[in-house]
Amino acid sequence: DFYHVGNSRGCGGTAIWHQGKMVLSNVYKAWKILETAPKKSVFQLTYEYDLENRKIQEVKTITIELGERFFKSESAFAENGIPADLEVAVGLTTHDQRGVATLKPDAGWMSVWEDHHGKNGKLGTGVVMDPVRITGMQEIKSTVGDESHVILTTRTDAKGKTVHYAGYGWDQAGEITTPEQWAAYLKA
């Protein structure tokens, strides 16, 4: 697997957005398989955040379907068992700014197109969300490894939830071979 994630948000990872910065959880504390079938898998991961001495829990449900380019990511944030009102960031790594970012908040998507050199080819990653739920999009550039991203921000709903879709297009699969084709796919 040539797609390095490290401490980045990888392809569609979440963080709490607080005072202009991402607050990251540690690795997941618990996991549960909800459904496994030949064409669909659903699982949950539970994360914990320390936000200024507040303990926030995120229960993330991931749905992956055979033949689909995107997976569905549903997160429920809570504090002391009560839905949390938070701003949340959803990110795509730019791999230390090697990827080219496209931000389309009004259309509800953002992407990164990156040349992974040699046999690994080129890869587009993307996140899609209902545009009415998006509160912002930006590119974060950093000289620190794994900290360069594009992010969208959103607020949790009354139940402490957010929903987005994330996925990729790899040129060597032969279906999406240019950044223009990737942008057209995301737009559709």
Side-chain angles (χ1 to χ4, degrees), residues 8-17 22 24 49 58 60 71 73-75 77 87-93 103 109-111 126-129 133-140 149-155 162-167:
S8 78
R9 298 302 81 207
C11 180
T14 52
I16 295 173
W17 186 250
M22 286 190 286
L24 308 179
Y49 295 82
E58 175 188 12
K60 182 182 294 187
F71 65 88
S73 181
E74 301 173 271
S75 291
F77 291 87
E87 193 160 22
V88 175
V90 180
L92 296 170
T93 182
L103 306 176
W109 64 269
M110 64 182 187
S111 73
V127 170
V128 178
M129 177 181 274
R133 302 287 310 152
I134 296 172
T135 58
M137 271 188 198
Q138 65 180 295
E139 184 171 1
I140 299 170
H149 292 85
V150 292
I151 63 163
L152 68 76
T153 52
T154 185
R155 286 211 77 81
T162 66
V163 177
H164 69 274
Y165 296 83

Side-chain angles (χ1 to χ4, degrees), residues 7-109:
N7 286 328
S8 78
R9 298 302 81 207
C11 180
T14 52
I16 295 173
W17 186 250
H18 184 67
Q19 297 179 350
K21 294 184 179 179
M22 286 190 286
V23 176
L24 308 179
S25 69
N26 205 330
V27 297
Y28 62 87
K29 298 290 184 184
W31 61 272
K32 183 184 342 179
I33 296 173
L34 302 179
E35 180 181 344
T36 181
K39 294 187 178 185
K40 183 178 179 182
S41 294
V42 183
F43 61 94
Q44 278 185 339
L45 302 170
T46 301
Y47 297 90
E48 293 177 358
Y49 295 82
D50 184 10
L51 179 64
E52 296 182 341
N53 295 317
R54 296 168 53 200
K55 300 299 180 195
I56 308 291
Q57 182 182 65
E58 175 188 12
V59 177
K60 182 182 294 187
T61 303
I62 303 286
T63 302
I64 301 172
E65 296 188 51
L66 182 67
E68 294 295 323
R69 195 168 294 286
F70 283 81
F71 65 88
K72 182 178 184 181
S73 181
E74 301 173 271
S75 291
F77 291 87
E79 182 176 8
N80 299 320
I82 299 169
D85 178 23
L86 298 167
E87 193 160 22
V88 175
V90 180
L92 296 170
T93 182
T94 61
H95 287 114
D96 304 325
Q97 302 173 50
R98 290 190 310 269
V100 176
T102 303
L103 306 176
K104 298 289 185 181
D106 293 338
W109 64 269

